Amino acid sequence: MARAARLGGRASKLSLVQAELAAEALRAVGIETEFVPVSTQGDRDQTSSLRTIGGQGVFVRAVESALLDGEIDVAVHSAKDVPPTIAEGTVLAAYLPRGDVRDALVSRDQVGLLDLPHGAKVGTGSRRRAAQLLRLRSDLQVIDIRGNVDTRLRKVERGEYHAVVVAAAGLQRLGRAPSELLPIDLIMPSPGQGALVIQCRSEDADRVAAANHQASAQAVSAERAMLRALGAGCSLPLAALGGMRGGEVLLAGRLLSADGSERIEVQRSASDPEVVGAEVAEALLERGGRRLMEEDTGL
């Protein structure tokens, strides 16, 4: 790796803030960086649903390609955007200290979720958020929305939506205030939410790993292991949250039907994040998740 490592990431306002956080973490372990913006399909196409253009991984693939092609040396991602399986020849070498894991509601009248008017239009691009919102408020019109955080907030200001739900960490990193921070027991986060991760080529892993925050890495690794164990065929709303308890990783996983009417939740702990992730996934399937998946895909 060159002395001034080329740090790749998306070119949005939030991504630039996240790149600076990654640069600070790398600088602290002796790696100077220069930022290289990478355009992704997810950024170029602001109208199509994420599900139709490849899911959350659509924000990562172009950055991974730049990494493998030698155009950049390291990449920073929101961990929730990284698919369960990453490109061969690369590693997720360092997690930064995790930010707020919660979801945040931003409403037109600065009211909370339960105080939104009957039939309110709430924007989110996440099936996970949609299902949990509908479980709490079946009267809501939950509408798919695309665009960066500022774009979504402007749509609320213009009256296109009564409210939007976004990741609290991203909102906070942009210096924006929520109308309400949604409790985790009501709206459990996406695997990896609130965390930033630095990806690099395998040969550079040892040097970059010096910036790793172990507790965040253990928790998010367990959440990602659960995601992998459930398999690529699982398109159901899925939530997870890991944490450390003593020397063990504690992981909660939640699987819902698309309309939120059914919810399965499991909690397990183990010393190995891969083990606890697989255990939670298996328990979710055994408790009804397999049936929900079959119904969702029409098998």
Side-chain angles (χ1 to χ4, degrees):
M1 188 187 300
R3 184 177 180 279
R6 293 162 297 173
L7 171 62
R10 296 163 60 193
S12 70
K13 187 176 179 181
L14 177 58
S15 298
L16 293 174
V17 174
Q18 294 177 165
E20 182 52 37
L21 292 172
E24 289 176 5
L26 290 170
R27 192 178 303 120
V29 296
I31 302 174
E32 294 294 331
T33 62
E34 57 181 358
F35 182 67
V36 178
V38 179
S39 175
T40 74
Q41 183 185 0
D43 294 312
R44 292 189 297 270
D45 184 346
Q46 294 281 310
T47 57
S48 302
S49 165
L50 282 179
R51 293 188 292 276
T52 64
I53 60 174
Q56 289 297 94
V58 75
F59 295 116
V60 173
R61 285 191 289 269
V63 181
E64 278 190 333
S65 294
L67 188 61
L68 289 169
D69 291 343
E71 297 170 14
I72 59 176
D73 301 303
V74 289
V76 60
H77 308 289
S78 292
K80 68 180 178 63
D81 291 341
V82 181
T85 303
I86 63 171
E88 187 174 352
T90 73
V91 294
L92 302 179
Y95 286 88
L96 276 59
R98 196 172 197 174
D100 198 324
V101 301
R102 291 172 292 182
D103 281 312
L105 181 93
V106 180
S107 65
R108 188 191 315 167
D109 300 316
Q110 294 302 308
V111 298
L113 177 63
L114 297 182
D115 293 320
L116 290 173
H118 184 87
K121 295 180 179 179
V122 180
T124 176
S126 162
R127 292 190 85 192
R128 171 192 61 82
R129 289 175 180 143
Q132 293 183 101
L133 288 168
L134 290 170
R135 185 172 179 83
L136 295 168
R137 291 277 309 266
S138 60
D139 63 290
L140 294 176
Q141 298 182 62
V142 181
I143 302 171
D144 193 53
I145 189 172
R146 289 291 318 282
N148 59 38
V149 173
D150 284 331
T151 297
R152 298 182 187 204
L153 299 187
R154 281 195 296 271
K155 290 181 178 182
V156 173
E157 293 166 1
R158 292 198 299 262
E160 297 177 35
Y161 298 84
H162 288 88
V164 293
V165 179
V166 296
L171 200 65
Q172 292 162 0
R173 286 166 185 152
L174 288 171
R176 304 293 292 267
S179 304
E180 181 182 27
L181 289 169
L182 299 170
I184 290 169
D185 60 332
L186 300 181
I187 309 287
M188 188 179 285
S190 172
Q193 186 160 309
L196 300 178
V197 63
I198 300 174
Q199 184 179 18
C200 66
R201 291 182 289 273
S202 300
E203 60 265 27
D204 296 320
D206 288 346
R207 187 178 177 197
V208 175
N212 188 49
H213 185 261
Q214 185 66 10
S216 298
Q218 292 281 89
V220 178
S221 294
E223 295 163 17
R224 289 177 51 76
M226 183 195 77
L227 198 57
R228 278 195 301 276
L230 285 169
C234 182
S235 61
L236 288 171
L238 176 66
L241 183 60
M244 300 303 295
R245 185 177 63 182
E248 292 196 323
V249 184
L250 180 68
L251 177 66
R254 181 181 290 178
L255 195 61
L256 301 100
S257 59
D259 63 0
S261 61
E262 293 191 62
R263 184 179 75 181
I264 306 162
E265 190 164 338
V266 171
Q267 185 170 291
R268 296 284 189 274
S269 64
S271 58
D272 187 327
E274 295 293 325
V275 169
V276 73
E279 288 180 352
V280 169
E282 184 58 33
L284 287 171
L285 293 173
E286 290 177 351
R287 293 191 181 186
R290 190 170 283 108
R291 173 183 55 80
L292 288 181
M293 288 172 64
E294 290 171 352
E295 292 174 355
D296 187 60
T297 56
L299 296 177

